[in-house]
Amino acid sequence: MKFPLMNDQLLEPVLSTNLDYAARVIPHMHHAILSEASLCIAGERVLVKLVQFDKQFGSKINLTVICNDGQPQLIWRVTCGDVITDSDVKDTHFSGHNCQDMVQSCYQQARALVSKGNMKMLHIICNSLSLTYSTGNHAKDGQIVVSQSPQTAQHSAIDSHILKTECRLKFLDFCNMERLLKLKCWIEQEKPQKRGLIACVDHLLKQFTELPKAPYSGCTFILQSDGEMVKLAKTSTQWSQDYYIFCGPNGASMFPAEWK
């Protein structure tokens, strides 16, 4: 596909990067998705659209690759019937996505919202995932409410919703250096632009090695930088000591400064 664009002098750098990203991601999608989808790849000034011949007058699933914060991102839009139902929210739409909420996944939260009924638009933002379910006429019928979890949503007269997940990572039994290193790897892979969060993990690793009596259980670590928070906690609901790690212009710091 690049060669015709190159010959027509339309292959700009952003478009080239997004085409490469689409070539890596799209072939791994489920056949059922691809059979219903159209694909757009956006550059700075050029938009390339690929549709199947029998879908040229409209596809149920629209996929668009854009550049977001310097990185390619795949935007999903799924068109539903009169209302969004459980059958519209398919697990295949989330395949390959590393959800940032390990306590309750974005897929589980989405199905919980839809099950309450009368949903006309649901926009899910989770890490790099941007997925919208829509009936196509939600803009004139309802209002949009932004919340951090379905528990805080008010559903009585609302037919549109933006679901933005929290970044909640968990360890099953205890925390140690290996688990913290896995946390760092996860952030490096999923949030490569968030250098401040990576610095927070580095500082936490340093505290574990330098301060005596490091807490291997009964603790929750809350990292904050780059406009985001990451919460690392044990799965149980028992009481725990909270430790806050911040990253600012002068580097990372922890509060309390010593282990309790």
Side-chain angles (χ1 to χ4, degrees):
M1 179 182 296
K2 282 189 174 183
F3 294 108
L5 294 169
M6 192 180 301
N7 291 335
D8 293 335
Q9 298 183 337
L10 297 174
L11 188 62
E12 56 194 31
V14 172
L15 180 60
S16 178
T17 299
N18 289 347
L19 282 168
D20 290 339
Y21 177 80
R24 292 195 307 270
V25 173
I26 300 302
H28 297 287
M29 288 186 174
H30 196 280
H31 174 73
I33 294 176
L34 298 179
S35 65
E36 298 182 299
S38 64
L39 173 64
C40 291
I41 301 103
E44 292 183 275
R45 298 180 303 275
V46 178
L47 179 68
V48 177
K49 185 172 184 179
L50 303 175
V51 296
Q52 300 180 58
F53 181 77
D54 59 343
K55 300 292 191 302
Q56 57 183 314
F57 299 110
S59 301
K60 183 175 181 180
I61 301 175
N62 293 282
L63 307 173
T64 305
V65 179
I66 65 169
C67 181
N68 183 18
D69 197 19
Q71 298 292 322
Q73 182 182 15
L74 182 63
I75 308 296
W76 291 65
R77 189 174 189 91
V78 180
T79 303
C80 308
D82 293 334
V83 294
I84 304 170
T85 64
D86 288 345
S87 61
D88 292 316
V89 184
K90 304 180 186 297
D91 57 356
T92 52
H93 298 161
F94 298 80
S95 61
H97 166 59
N98 288 324
C99 182
Q100 67 177 7
D101 193 337
M102 295 183 181
V103 178
Q104 186 180 28
S105 71
C106 56
Y107 172 65
Q108 294 171 326
Q109 293 184 41
R111 289 185 65 87
L113 279 173
V114 170
S115 67
K116 296 182 180 294
N118 197 36
M119 185 72 67
K120 297 293 183 67
M121 193 281 286
L122 174 61
H123 181 37
I124 303 164
I125 304 171
C126 179
N127 203 15
S128 61
L129 177 69
S130 177
L131 170 58
T132 301
Y133 295 94
S134 173
T135 61
N137 59 356
H138 64 274
K140 63 181 180 181
D141 291 334
Q143 55 180 314
I144 296 176
V145 171
V146 180
S147 71
Q148 293 298 319
S149 67
Q151 289 79 8
T152 61
Q154 300 176 3
H155 304 287
S156 56
I158 296 171
D159 58 17
S160 300
H161 198 101
I162 296 178
L163 170 62
K164 188 173 183 179
T165 59
E166 299 177 76
C167 188
R168 298 186 293 181
L169 310 180
K170 64 184 181 181
F171 50 93
L172 296 177
D173 42 18
F174 61 92
C175 184
N176 57 18
M177 292 288 292
E178 180 182 358
R179 284 173 169 79
L180 291 178
L181 287 171
K182 287 181 178 179
L183 167 65
K184 181 180 179 181
C185 290
W186 188 91
I187 294 177
E188 288 175 337
Q189 293 171 3
E190 298 298 322
K191 302 177 184 289
Q193 304 299 315
K194 306 298 183 179
R195 306 306 302 175
L197 289 177
I198 297 173
C200 287
V201 182
D202 286 336
H203 184 74
L204 183 55
L205 286 164
K206 182 180 179 182
Q207 300 298 86
F208 253 75
T209 57
E210 294 184 356
L211 293 181
K213 299 181 180 179
Y216 293 97
S217 62
C219 55
T220 297
F221 302 110
I222 301 169
L223 285 57
Q224 193 282 324
S225 184
D226 305 307
E228 283 197 42
M229 285 202 309
V230 175
K231 186 175 183 179
L232 177 64
K234 190 176 179 180
T235 53
S236 66
T237 57
Q238 67 181 19
W239 177 89
S240 67
Q241 171 68 47
D242 291 344
Y243 294 93
Y244 300 87
I245 299 92
F246 312 91
C247 186
N250 298 323
S253 59
M254 184 176 76
F255 178 83
E258 296 182 354
W259 306 124
K260 296 292 186 179

